[in-house]
Amino acid sequence: MLPVLATRMQRRKLLLASGAVASTALAGCLGGSDAEEEPGDDTDSSERTITVSESGEVHADPDLAVLQVGVESTGDDAEAVRDDLAERGDALYDALVAYGIDEEEITTDQFRIRDQIDHEQMREDGVEPDSEEEVEPYVYYVGTHAYRVEVHAVDDAGDVVDTAVDAGADTVGRIEFTLSEEKQEELRQGALEEAIEDADAEAEFIADQVDATVVEAKHVDTSGGDVSPVHEEYDVAEDDDAADTAPETTLEPDDVTVSASVDIRYEME
């Protein structure tokens, strides 16, 4: 699918400096020749300048899916929880590799074991502890081992989810559909091109309104912009029987948006 370019006008900032009286109807947009220069501004105080801000957007199919899948464990002993996470985490990892995911695309995103207190059971037992010894019988441990999985064949993302769940994954986090770095750079250039074209047209229009002509661009700032990925939510079935009979997972992500913005200062005469 070819990227579809779209732009929108967002904001306009006009800075006009002149040593002469300008005949214009754009009240509030004119400055005298004694206007204060910005730090690092190489504009001569006698120059007539205009600054235009524009932005562009490009929409394209994602070429990268990022999944978080993991296993969880609960027990009375931290070592037992650790061992269970290790065993089941290895099984999940091996299943993903067997499916065809490169090993370098599977990285540990989170590993933690923390202690919890079963306050509900304490209330049921009528225990109001005054010491750690009285709390100890109600302490248990919860562990998580989650992987970050990159899927470059986006159409396979649903199959990867199914593979993870079948391998014992307890959690599937929010699935992010985004763009590879190469694709981001390619689309950003298109968005910048559109933004600059709009800035040029805007500058020409405004210059015409004040009986001036654009000479050249004196300063260009292209630091603005963003990539807006899309997300899918997936809930792992709590009922094992329901999981066994669940249909294959199908994911239909929307387009990813890449935006770029420019601030250009033009010299006029």
Side-chain angles (χ1 to χ4, degrees):
M1 170 180 173
L2 292 176
V4 180
L5 301 183
T7 64
R8 65 173 184 268
M9 300 295 187
Q10 287 189 333
R11 57 191 177 97
R12 301 173 178 174
K13 179 175 63 175
L14 311 181
L15 301 176
L16 184 60
S18 175
V21 177
S23 57
T24 178
L26 300 181
C29 297
L30 302 181
S33 59
D34 58 347
E36 181 178 353
E37 296 182 4
E38 297 179 3
D41 192 345
D42 58 358
T43 302
D44 189 291
S45 60
S46 64
E47 287 183 348
R48 304 177 70 188
T49 63
I50 180 174
T51 299
V52 178
S53 299
E54 287 293 347
S55 65
E57 287 187 353
V58 177
H59 307 282
D61 287 335
D63 68 346
L64 175 65
V66 181
L67 290 66
Q68 186 191 65
V69 298
V71 295
E72 297 179 341
S73 182
T74 302
D76 297 331
D77 182 83
E79 292 184 359
V81 170
R82 179 201 61 194
D83 294 343
D84 187 45
L85 290 177
E87 180 179 352
R88 296 178 60 226
D90 287 347
L92 175 58
Y93 180 92
D94 292 342
L96 293 170
V97 172
Y99 174 82
I101 305 297
D102 291 338
E103 292 184 1
E104 59 266 24
E105 307 296 349
I106 308 171
T107 56
T108 295
D109 192 53
Q110 182 184 80
F111 185 95
R112 65 177 181 177
I113 299 174
R114 62 190 185 280
D115 61 325
Q116 301 285 332
I117 299 175
D118 191 342
H119 293 284
E120 182 177 352
Q121 188 61 52
M122 289 175 61
R123 287 192 295 270
E124 292 180 1
D125 294 345
V127 175
E128 296 182 0
D130 295 322
S131 65
E132 292 185 5
E133 288 75 12
E134 293 177 293
V135 173
E136 186 62 31
Y138 299 94
V139 174
Y140 65 98
Y141 296 86
V142 177
T144 301
H145 187 182
Y147 292 104
R148 182 183 189 273
V149 184
E150 294 188 1
V151 183
H152 293 275
V154 173
D155 290 341
D156 293 341
D159 290 340
V160 174
V161 169
D162 291 336
T163 298
V165 173
D166 292 342
D170 298 306
T171 62
V172 177
R174 188 171 63 169
I175 303 169
E176 179 180 274
F177 291 93
T178 185
L179 300 170
S180 61
E181 291 184 3
E182 297 81 5
K183 193 68 173 179
Q184 288 183 30
E185 182 59 30
E186 175 188 339
L187 297 181
R188 174 175 164 78
Q189 290 178 4
L192 276 174
E193 180 180 355
E194 194 74 13
I196 291 172
E197 288 179 357
D198 285 343
D200 289 345
E202 182 83 352
E204 294 286 354
F205 171 79
I206 296 172
D208 183 65
Q209 298 303 301
V210 294
D211 297 325
T213 302
V214 173
V215 177
E216 63 178 350
K218 301 287 288 184
H219 175 78
V220 180
D221 181 359
T222 63
S223 59
D226 195 13
V227 177
S228 301
V230 293
H231 301 90
E232 294 280 349
E233 301 291 341
Y234 183 92
D235 293 324
V236 177
E238 296 182 0
D239 186 339
D240 292 337
D241 293 334
D244 292 339
T245 59
E248 294 182 354
T249 301
T250 301
L251 302 171
E252 300 290 345
D254 291 330
D255 288 346
V256 177
T257 300
V258 177
S259 64
S261 61
V262 295
D263 294 288
I264 305 179
R265 186 176 69 245
Y266 300 88
E267 179 186 352
M268 299 188 305
E269 63 178 11

